Amino acid sequence: MGYELGRYDVAVIGGGHAGVEAAMAAARLGARTILFTLTLDGIANLPCNPSIGGTAKGHLVREVDALGGVMGVAADHTMLQSRMLNLGKGPAVHSLRAQIDRRAYHTYVKSLLESQENLRIKQDEVVGILTEDGRITGLRTRLGAEYAVGAVIIASGTYLNGVIHVGEVSYSSGPDGIAPATGLTADLADHGITLRRFKTGTPSRVHRRSIDFSRLEEQKGDDPVVPFSFETEEPLINQVSCYMAYTNEETHRIILDNLDKSPIYSGRIHAIGPRYCPSIEDKIVRFAGKPRHQLFVEPMGMDTQEMYLQGLSSSLPEDVQLRFLRTIEGFENLEIMRNAYAIEYDCCDPLDLRPTLEFKKIAGLYGAGQFNGTSGYEEAAAQGLIAGINAARQVQGKDPFVLPRSSSYIGTLIDDLVTKGCSDPYRMMTSRSEFRLLLRQDNADERLTPLGYQIGLISENRYRRFQKKMEQIQEEKRRVAKINVAPSPALNELLVSRGTTPLNTGTKLEELIRRPQLTYDDLAPFDPGRPDLPFPVREQVEIQLKYEGYIKKQQLEVEEQKRLESKKLPADQDYSAINGLRLEAREKLNRVQPRDVGQAARISGVNPADISTLLIWLEQNGGTHA
């Protein structure tokens, strides 16, 4: 028997990006919260790439911020360099990515946690959960302490039974040399939780002085910088450059000659790795005809000489890593400070989770982040925020908070996990959303800030500022719809120079803004009554006018999805008892237990005929269910 050390509403296991968002959300919503971490020095660590955002991931960070989370604010405060990706494409896929000072990020977030009311931080390892009648009642630490809790969120990252692999050497460890969590897996299995084995990897960190930057391609940041947080008002400044380098035939030859020493190819690693973030060994094998692969040289911080080699994840032996790295132009005298490695870890099957991220088998137990089978800091933060909100709301007797996939990338991410599952570490991509023109990163506040305000994570002052922004957008759209612009030599010269038809007669300003060759700001010289508006307002006016037809079309698709989602399915339904469903559909429906017909339609193995059968059965059994 252990000894009791306290009572809390919510306990969070893990101090990474999922755990941070979960603990902050629960505490800010008034739940008495405790966060357990293996080491206080690992809170909000960036053990792999020292960056936040990227394609689709930038959307997640902005959505977390729009709901009241902390990742966007922390990234803005610790940014080294920022770039907007995919600017050559439409706004639906524009994604912000920032290089981060990893130690400053840890310090900033740790300070936020330490200052948060209702939140206690504890360095200790949780080795067991306590339940009674299928519900969480507490947890137990390695030192024998027991804590009575109303809800538990597991955000263990890659630490559960973590094993590092470098060539033929393997040892028990979490990332960055931190000790792994070895006690919880067996206890979860004893409670009936299905666990799986995934893997990920990370590149070498090398010394700045050993790189010949004159032989690399410099990559500067954007000017001006677009912040992650809708709250950031002060200008952000790029402080560093990143650089590009390339592998070559000799690099590839050394790697191929030593594949038998890679634990992935020798069979020593059996865990499943990320499909969309392959090691350099995987890249060279899978893309054998490609003569070179791009890599990025990125700083780890302002007060360190460590540089990160993005794109060169590897688990080859140390000597082989050094040999192939020194074949790259500019790396001839490279000094490795931290070797690349692969790491295996335990995680759950997300099909065992509800859309709230609560386990179906154990009430009050939630999962978040890489424990749920995802990869990436941003995916982790998004899940942590939702798990923290729902854990707090459950212990407070409030309704669950679920974001539909039509509302956000967060909703898409969680719906994919709990409806389709994942056979390898899940990474968010813009292609995963059927509503990506609506779910742009630029309008995350419009979509989600009212919800953050309703649940209590957005302050009154912030909400008033948001409302003012929305009013300014609508006022300006009304104004440009009324303004007539007459043809003039200067205007027609601009139009012709941009490859669009000159004017023969007057037209509305909004019609000119709609032209794809022009921007709202291009037309400022021909709009004398134009108000002085901030960039986010001008941006929204332009996007909403240019894409109005496409946006309306997607909104109709959203309404159809909502129609199906309004048809609720009973909890714990035995679908094998419904005549007309195919055997595969019965098995999948029983496994997932969808909340509504819309979710049922997205389950792999459930076809339109099965959905028709479900709709008929629902109608025959009294329509919708609560």
Side-chain angles (χ1 to χ4, degrees):
M1 293 295 291
Y3 50 92
E4 186 172 302
L5 271 186
R7 294 178 175 271
Y8 294 88
D9 297 318
V10 176
V12 179
I13 302 173
H17 304 284
V20 164
E21 297 289 355
M24 288 292 291
R28 290 177 60 203
L29 292 177
R32 190 161 184 259
T33 305
I34 184 168
L35 170 68
F36 290 94
T37 178
L38 293 170
T39 170
L40 293 175
D41 298 327
I43 286 174
N45 188 23
L46 301 164
C48 193
N49 199 340
S51 70
I52 299 291
T55 301
K57 293 170 176 282
H59 290 66
L60 289 172
V61 180
R62 284 211 132 193
E63 290 181 350
V64 166
D65 180 77
L67 284 168
V70 302
M71 176 172 270
V73 174
D76 288 346
H77 272 83
T78 56
M79 182 209 81
L80 297 175
Q81 187 204 69
S82 179
R83 294 177 63 237
M84 188 70 75
L85 307 183
N86 304 321
L87 282 177
K89 303 177 182 179
V93 295
H94 294 174
S95 295
L96 192 60
R97 182 184 186 273
Q99 204 65 27
I100 301 297
D101 188 318
R102 69 190 298 252
R103 287 303 171 209
Y105 189 92
H106 153 76
T107 300
Y108 181 85
V109 175
K110 183 169 180 279
S111 178
L112 287 181
L113 292 169
E114 292 169 341
S115 304
Q116 179 58 49
E117 187 180 356
N118 295 324
L119 177 59
R120 181 187 175 193
I121 310 166
K122 178 71 173 178
Q123 179 173 297
D124 203 348
E125 180 182 351
V126 175
V127 296
I129 58 172
L130 308 176
T131 64
E132 187 175 314
D133 298 327
R135 171 170 284 281
I136 281 288
T137 59
L139 53 75
R140 183 177 60 257
T141 71
R142 180 171 292 282
L143 296 178
E146 293 184 357
Y147 295 79
V149 295
V152 170
I153 301 167
I154 302 176
S156 50
T158 61
Y159 287 90
L160 276 190
N161 283 344
V163 174
I164 296 286
H165 298 275
V166 181
E168 298 178 354
V169 176
S170 300
Y171 55 94
S172 179
S173 177
D176 260 354
I178 298 174
T182 57
L184 187 58
T185 293
D187 185 81
L188 292 175
D190 288 343
H191 281 87
I193 301 297
T194 301
L195 293 167
R196 302 183 296 176
R197 198 82 171 148
F198 275 5
K199 83 146 190 94
T200 189
T202 190
S204 304
R205 277 70 158 176
V206 300
H207 202 297
R208 175 188 290 272
R209 71 186 175 200
S210 66
I211 300 171
D212 184 354
F213 288 99
S214 69
R215 303 174 69 186
L216 306 184
E217 297 177 20
E218 187 175 10
Q219 187 180 55
K220 295 182 178 293
D222 292 342
D223 184 22
V225 172
V226 176
F228 273 116
S229 176
F230 292 96
E231 284 290 271
T232 300
E233 295 181 348
E234 66 276 10
L236 301 180
I237 306 299
N238 288 300
Q239 304 178 69
V240 299
S241 288
C242 296
Y243 297 83
M244 287 185 287
Y246 299 90
T247 63
N248 53 55
E249 291 183 1
E250 180 64 9
T251 316
H252 299 182
R253 184 193 66 78
I254 291 173
I255 291 171
L256 290 172
D257 286 349
N258 289 277
L259 273 184
D260 60 320
K261 298 176 183 176
S262 166
I264 299 171
Y265 286 91
S266 67
R268 291 179 56 245
I269 291 181
H270 301 287
I272 302 170
R275 184 184 316 176
Y276 301 103
C277 189
S279 66
I280 188 62
E281 299 97 281
D282 286 336
K283 289 179 186 177
I284 290 170
V285 171
R286 287 163 55 182
F287 308 104
K290 194 168 183 178
R292 68 178 190 172
H293 291 277
Q294 187 181 59
L295 62 113
F296 297 87
V297 182
E298 301 170 335
M300 302 280 283
M302 294 301 291
D303 299 321
T304 178
Q305 297 300 304
E306 282 187 86
M307 304 293 286
Y308 178 88
L309 303 182
Q310 183 198 345
L312 281 182
S313 174
S314 177
S315 59
L316 285 165
E318 179 179 18
D319 62 321
V320 177
Q321 289 185 35
L322 187 59
R323 282 167 53 205
F324 81 67
L325 285 171
R326 287 183 171 176
T327 66
I328 296 170
E329 186 173 358
F331 289 2
E332 290 83 359
N333 299 303
L334 203 68
E335 299 174 25
I336 295 178
M337 299 180 72
R338 306 190 200 211
N339 287 302
Y341 61 83
I343 183 170
E344 288 184 286
Y345 56 94
D346 292 334
C347 57
C348 78
D349 184 343
L351 288 177
D352 290 338
L353 302 172
R354 304 183 192 279
T356 58
L357 297 180
E358 182 184 26
F359 276 88
K360 297 170 184 174
K361 293 180 180 178
I362 303 177
L365 180 64
Y366 296 79
Q370 287 181 278
F371 177 71
N372 288 353
T374 59
S375 68
Y377 312 140
E378 303 82 4
E379 290 89 342
Q383 295 169 75
L385 179 65
I386 300 303
I389 290 170
N390 278 308
R393 290 177 70 85
Q394 186 186 85
V395 298
Q396 292 165 352
K398 298 177 180 178
D399 291 337
F401 180 74
V402 175
L403 290 172
R405 65 186 296 119
S406 58
S407 74
S408 55
Y409 274 80
I410 297 176
T412 303
L413 160 67
I414 294 174
D415 182 69
D416 279 351
L417 289 174
V418 305
T419 302
K420 303 173 184 177
C422 57
S423 57
D424 53 74
Y426 178 103
R427 175 178 177 166
M428 177 49 70
M429 297 178 291
T430 53
S431 60
R432 294 192 187 275
S433 174
E434 62 271 44
F435 305 117
R436 54 185 173 272
L437 186 55
L438 297 179
L439 309 184
R440 307 181 311 275
Q441 63 165 18
D442 59 79
N443 70 350
D445 59 340
E446 181 178 353
R447 293 182 278 115
L448 298 175
T449 293
L451 295 176
Y453 176 69
Q454 289 172 21
I455 62 178
L457 290 179
I458 297 293
S459 70
E460 191 70 41
N461 286 339
R462 177 172 178 177
Y463 190 60
R464 287 200 193 104
R465 291 194 297 272
F466 162 76
Q467 288 178 311
K468 180 181 178 181
K469 175 186 173 182
M470 294 300 104
E471 290 166 2
Q472 287 177 321
I473 293 168
Q474 295 308 314
E475 286 174 5
E476 181 63 358
K477 285 175 66 179
R478 286 191 292 267
R479 189 189 72 85
V480 299
K482 297 175 182 177
I483 298 296
N484 282 306
V485 180
S488 68
L491 175 57
N492 281 338
E493 182 180 351
L494 171 68
L495 298 180
V496 171
S497 71
R498 294 300 175 86
T500 185
T501 308
L503 294 183
N504 294 317
T505 184
T507 188
K508 298 294 185 186
L509 181 57
E510 70 172 356
E511 293 304 322
L512 288 176
I513 295 172
R514 284 196 172 103
R515 294 193 184 188
Q517 301 90 345
L518 301 173
T519 69
Y520 175 92
D521 287 343
D522 286 339
L523 298 165
F526 312 100
D527 182 15
R530 167 177 160 140
D532 183 17
L533 296 171
F535 170 76
V537 174
R538 305 197 310 272
E539 178 186 46
Q540 285 306 300
V541 170
E542 179 175 327
I543 291 174
Q544 290 180 24
L545 288 176
K546 283 187 186 298
Y547 296 93
E548 185 176 28
Y550 299 102
I551 289 171
K552 285 180 178 177
K553 183 178 178 181
Q554 284 211 340
Q555 286 171 336
L556 291 175
E557 295 170 1
V558 169
E559 291 306 312
E560 174 59 21
Q561 186 172 99
K562 286 181 178 178
R563 184 185 69 83
L564 290 176
E565 289 174 346
S566 70
K567 298 182 182 300
K568 303 299 181 185
L569 293 167
D572 302 319
Q573 171 64 36
D574 180 8
Y575 289 95
S576 61
I578 299 178
N579 293 327
L581 290 174
R582 295 173 307 110
L583 178 60
E584 182 184 11
R586 295 179 185 186
E587 292 175 350
K588 294 292 182 64
L589 289 165
N590 278 328
R591 176 77 172 87
V592 175
Q593 287 293 317
R595 300 171 77 237
D596 51 63
V597 176
Q599 185 185 3
R602 296 189 293 273
I603 298 173
S604 175
V606 176
N607 66 25
D610 298 315
I611 296 303
S612 296
T613 300
L614 269 182
L615 289 170
I616 293 170
W617 175 81
L618 265 181
E619 188 66 30
Q620 292 173 344
N621 287 269
T624 62
H625 293 257

